[in-house]
Amino acid sequence: MFDQIPLSKSREKNYDTLQGAFNGLIDAQENRITNLANASALIYYFMDTINWAGFYLTDEEDTLVLGPFQGLPACTKIPFNQGVCGRAAALQKTVIVDDVNAFDDHIACDARSQSEIVVPLIKNGETVGVIDIDSPEKNRFNTLDQTMLETLAKTLVDKCW
Ligand code: SME
């Protein structure tokens, strides 16, 4: 059904469509994994120039474990404070890396990835997971992506946690 929605050349417009699709598809009554699986599919469809989009979810002892995603298989566990994901989880702030080759602590899962954005999912002050998106182009992510993905993150946490 969603492949019939045309993509715009405007990233802002695509985010608006994505947010609308999110609101329609992410059902608070559903299983959390079900909703996150559909969320990763929507992000992967509506964002251009990306090669991986998905979730890491907080497990015991401040460790992130791989959740639903689209893209190549990825590393399964990331401690808080390691990698871009762990940093965003520990700081509770969005982290944008313009060039992963210049980021010492980057954990390479897909050799094509050149830039990355990680947005924390925060519930009652606790990091419950992160959204992680990789691009095969350097400098792919900017403040528009940050603003729109933080809104999506809030919708997800409100509906799924
Ligand atoms: N690059 C991430 C690891 C996850 S993969 O990108 C899917 C990081 O440094 O935390």
Side-chain angles (χ1 to χ4, degrees):
M1 59 188 157
F2 284 99
D3 59 0
Q4 291 164 355
I5 298 177
L7 289 177
S8 167
K9 286 202 169 68
S10 158
R11 285 182 176 166
E12 196 160 8
K13 198 161 185 307
N14 284 333
Y15 270 122
D16 285 345
T17 315
L18 168 56
Q19 181 70 55
F22 239 64
N23 294 340
L25 197 64
I26 306 304
D27 181 348
Q29 303 306 315
E30 272 285 357
N31 179 282
R32 180 182 297 152
I33 297 299
T34 305
N35 283 328
L36 295 180
N38 270 334
S40 67
L42 286 175
I43 292 170
Y44 200 70
Y45 177 73
F46 281 107
M47 288 184 71
D48 65 277
T49 329
I50 63 172
N51 57 290
W52 201 92
F55 296 91
Y56 281 89
L57 303 175
T58 303
D59 200 10
E60 299 169 348
E61 297 172 13
D62 288 351
T63 300
L64 295 165
V65 295
L66 184 62
F69 68 95
Q70 302 273 307
L72 290 180
C75 55
T76 54
K77 287 190 181 178
I78 302 176
F80 275 32
N81 259 328
Q82 280 187 24
V84 187
C85 291
R87 180 174 297 195
L91 292 176
Q92 298 196 320
K93 287 193 185 319
T94 295
V95 177
I96 294 176
V97 177
D98 290 334
D99 179 358
V100 298
N101 305 300
F103 187 91
D104 283 346
D105 204 21
H106 173 255
I107 300 166
C109 295
D110 180 343
R112 293 172 301 170
S113 300
Q114 295 295 311
S115 61
E116 178 162 6
I117 185 168
V118 181
V119 180
L121 302 170
I122 300 165
K123 174 78 174 184
N124 297 333
E126 302 286 324
T127 302
V128 294
V130 301
I131 306 174
D132 180 19
I133 305 173
D134 291 1
S135 170
E137 280 185 6
K138 291 186 172 65
N139 302 300
R140 161 66 181 80
F141 305 105
N142 59 25
T143 51
L144 169 70
D145 298 290
Q146 177 170 351
T147 303
M148 301 307 281
L149 290 169
E150 285 175 355
T151 302
L152 291 180
K154 189 173 179 316
T155 305
L156 268 179
V157 170
D158 287 349
K159 289 205 176 189
C160 299
W161 267 267

